[in-house]
Amino acid sequence: MKLQKSILLLAVSFLPLCYGFITENSELESTYLSSNEDIPIYNFESLKPLLNTNSDKVHIVNFWAMWCAPCVKELPILKEYEANNPNVEILLVSLDFPENIETKLKPFLKKKGITSKVVLLDDPDANSWIDKIDPNWSGAIPFTIIFNNKNRSYHERAFANLQDLENEINKTIKDN
Amino acid sequence: MKTNNVFFTAILMASSFLITVGSYAQDRKGPPRGGGHNPEQTKTLEEIGGYKIGDVATDFKLKNVNGNMFSLSDIKNAKGYIVVFTCNECPFAKMYENRLIALHNEYAPKGYSVIAINPNVSESNQNESYGAMQKRAKEKGFTFVYLADEGQKIAPQYGAVRTPHVFILDKERKVQYIGTIDDNARSAEDVKVKYVENAIKALEKDEKPNPSFTKAIGCPVKLAYN
């Protein structure tokens, strides 16, 4: 009898917790359906595979953040390039903070009409991974990698305009 | 039967709780934050310009938030200098404000003062104006000088590319360390390596800081010379 009571108590005490989690989860799932509503959080090791490809398609990986003014200014250039070149693979690696995904990042992307894939890199000891991406990178953003399976270039600066970006892509991706 | 039901409910509840928690944990990919990787830097700031380890850094005369002009030579009996390029608005700079105050309070009496320089000061940006700097210094109770690098005369010479960006100079103003304050901007509690503090401790022992060069994500210095 005593045991029964304590089990009941245990069950009851778990109840609110479960509901909390379940509701939160189903909310999350429902948002997966709309475009760019799922922003996964990566660390450097899990991001690394996305910085290489076997394909000869043009890939652009852009490190940026909402708090970085030149980055925000550059986003429309990437967006325009993507619109003109649907075959390009663009990945926006946000260095914003995980706690801001729902409240700031998603509304920001929606407002700017950004549909490129966005992931969030949360790996605080940047000194340990900046060199693994590019030893020439100081850590300042925006920082962009243009690559395919054969060629690769790194850009620690904001592209001035579409022409600038196209030039860099053409310089990098020579033989296809 | 009743006992069974209760048991069943309890197990169901407990397991569903554990499953949800488990799936949550998986949402955040990857290993523990921080991690003991090799902090050594392979590259100098040569490509960017600015100082290399061992170069003698320039002194300067910049306006402090208290209205006076300030030079490194104003600090009497300095054993070294913790020169930090920082600003008002950058979230990374803000996250380090309290740690800069703590550093200054700890090490200024030992001969190593924090000297904060804002390379982004601009009268056309209300958040980075001299007045905004004064306000921020007052709000946060900066115990160190906070200088306006008007016309960006000093940051390019040092090679400051992001905020915060630290240059530790020894008594002779020779650059002994360039880089980040520690290995975790977002959470002071989770810091594993205090690069700046370790560098000062090395200098106190007459040793070379190791590492003497680190990198970090930070806000880009809005360089006029870019």
Side-chain angles (χ1 to χ4, degrees):
Chain A
M1 200 51 198
K2 236 183 186 173
L3 180 74
Q4 206 177 319
K5 256 189 190 166
S6 58
I7 288 168
L8 191 69
L9 202 70
L10 188 75
V12 169
S13 62
F14 267 119
L15 206 66
L17 272 174
C18 293
Y19 277 110
F21 273 105
I22 289 160
T23 11
E24 222 178 296
N25 241 5
S26 58
E27 266 170 28
L28 274 179
E29 269 156 26
S30 67
T31 57
Y32 285 159
L33 299 171
S34 41
S35 94
N36 218 355
E37 287 289 343
D38 169 27
I39 299 178
I41 300 173
Y42 284 75
N43 63 18
F44 175 66
E45 286 306 319
S46 53
L47 177 77
K48 219 162 61 174
L50 303 181
L51 308 182
N52 283 291
T53 180
N54 296 323
S55 144
D56 58 6
K57 269 207 275 187
V58 176
H59 286 61
I60 300 175
V61 175
N62 175 255
F63 293 80
W64 72 288
M66 288 183 290
W67 45 257
C68 160
C71 305
V72 171
K73 216 175 138 189
E74 183 184 49
L75 288 175
I77 299 169
L78 295 169
K79 191 181 152 187
E80 195 181 346
Y81 184 83
E82 192 175 33
N84 300 343
N85 304 272
N87 211 23
V88 66
E89 293 279 345
I90 293 188
L91 175 69
L92 301 176
V93 180
S94 157
L95 290 154
D96 290 289
F97 309 126
E99 59 269 29
N100 294 335
I101 290 182
E102 295 300 323
T103 53
K104 292 186 183 149
L105 187 54
K106 285 184 180 177
F108 174 91
L109 294 170
K110 204 171 172 185
K111 196 178 135 206
K112 299 270 174 185
I114 289 161
T115 51
S116 314
K117 177 148 183 60
V118 179
V119 302
L120 191 134
L121 176 60
D122 179 27
D123 200 335
D125 185 11
N127 185 56
S128 68
W129 51 259
I130 288 174
D131 269 4
K132 293 180 189 165
I133 292 177
D134 173 24
N136 282 315
W137 181 18
S138 79
I141 52 174
F143 178 80
T144 304
I145 314 174
I146 299 169
F147 64 98
N148 67 2
N149 54 351
K150 294 189 198 80
N151 301 296
R152 193 172 192 82
S153 65
Y154 304 94
H155 308 270
E156 183 174 342
R157 66 180 183 95
F159 298 107
N161 49 47
L162 186 63
Q163 187 62 53
D164 185 12
L165 174 62
E166 283 174 346
N167 286 347
E168 294 295 352
I169 292 170
N170 293 337
K171 262 197 264 170
T172 306
I173 313 291
K174 294 171 199 105
D175 44 5
N176 25 296
Chain B
M1 195 56 201
K2 225 178 188 181
T3 325
N4 271 354
N5 268 347
V6 174
F7 246 115
F8 182 71
T9 323
I11 288 166
L12 192 74
M13 292 294 176
S15 53
S16 68
F17 173 68
L18 288 176
I19 288 165
T20 29
V21 169
S23 68
Y24 253 69
Q26 278 167 10
D27 272 357
R28 194 198 173 277
K29 289 180 183 127
R33 293 148 206 260
H37 315 273
N38 177 20
E40 200 80 34
Q41 225 27 260
T42 51
K43 201 90 186 178
T44 68
L45 280 176
E46 212 164 0
E47 297 78 14
I48 304 154
Y51 294 136
K52 296 187 287 290
I53 301 299
D55 285 355
V56 175
T58 181
D59 199 351
F60 38 72
K61 199 169 191 178
L62 298 173
K63 193 156 79 170
N64 188 14
V65 283
N66 68 4
N68 298 335
M69 298 306 280
F70 182 89
S71 299
L72 292 176
S73 58
D74 291 342
I75 308 174
K76 298 299 165 210
N77 304 318
K79 289 186 187 159
Y81 309 89
I82 309 169
V83 177
V84 186
F85 291 88
T86 186
C87 64
N88 281 359
E89 263 200 302
C90 169
F92 283 86
K94 284 185 184 170
M95 287 184 285
Y96 275 116
E97 284 169 334
N98 289 341
R99 278 174 264 185
L100 283 180
I101 294 170
L103 265 176
H104 182 76
N105 293 351
E106 166 87 19
Y107 289 100
K110 296 175 181 166
Y112 302 86
S113 291
V114 168
I115 297 103
I117 301 177
N118 185 348
N120 292 338
V121 64
S122 157
E123 286 316 304
S124 58
N125 178 351
Q126 56 170 6
N127 298 317
E128 297 292 355
S129 66
Y130 178 69
M133 283 175 62
Q134 288 179 308
K135 192 165 160 256
R136 190 69 191 162
K138 204 174 163 192
E139 271 169 11
K140 290 298 295 182
F142 283 175
T143 47
F144 45 82
V145 295
Y146 188 23
L147 313 174
D149 186 8
E150 270 156 2
Q152 225 169 47
K153 294 194 172 65
I154 302 306
Q157 291 189 61
Y158 275 68
V161 290
R162 52 175 196 269
T163 54
H165 201 167
V166 179
F167 294 75
I168 298 181
L169 320 178
D170 64 16
K171 205 163 32 182
E172 281 84 41
R173 295 205 316 270
K174 259 193 206 156
V175 180
Q176 298 291 352
Y177 172 84
I178 301 173
T180 181
I181 295 163
D182 55 41
D183 67 351
N184 198 322
R186 284 181 62 217
S187 166
E189 295 83 54
D190 294 326
V191 166
K192 292 194 182 65
V193 188
K194 296 180 173 177
Y195 295 117
V196 161
E197 220 174 314
N198 292 348
I200 296 165
K201 283 179 180 161
L203 291 184
E204 280 190 309
K205 286 187 279 184
D206 247 346
E207 289 168 7
K208 295 285 173 200
N210 182 24
S212 58
F213 190 95
T214 57
K215 293 183 179 180
I217 294 297
C219 306
V221 169
K222 299 164 190 95
L223 292 177
Y225 58 85
N226 240 354

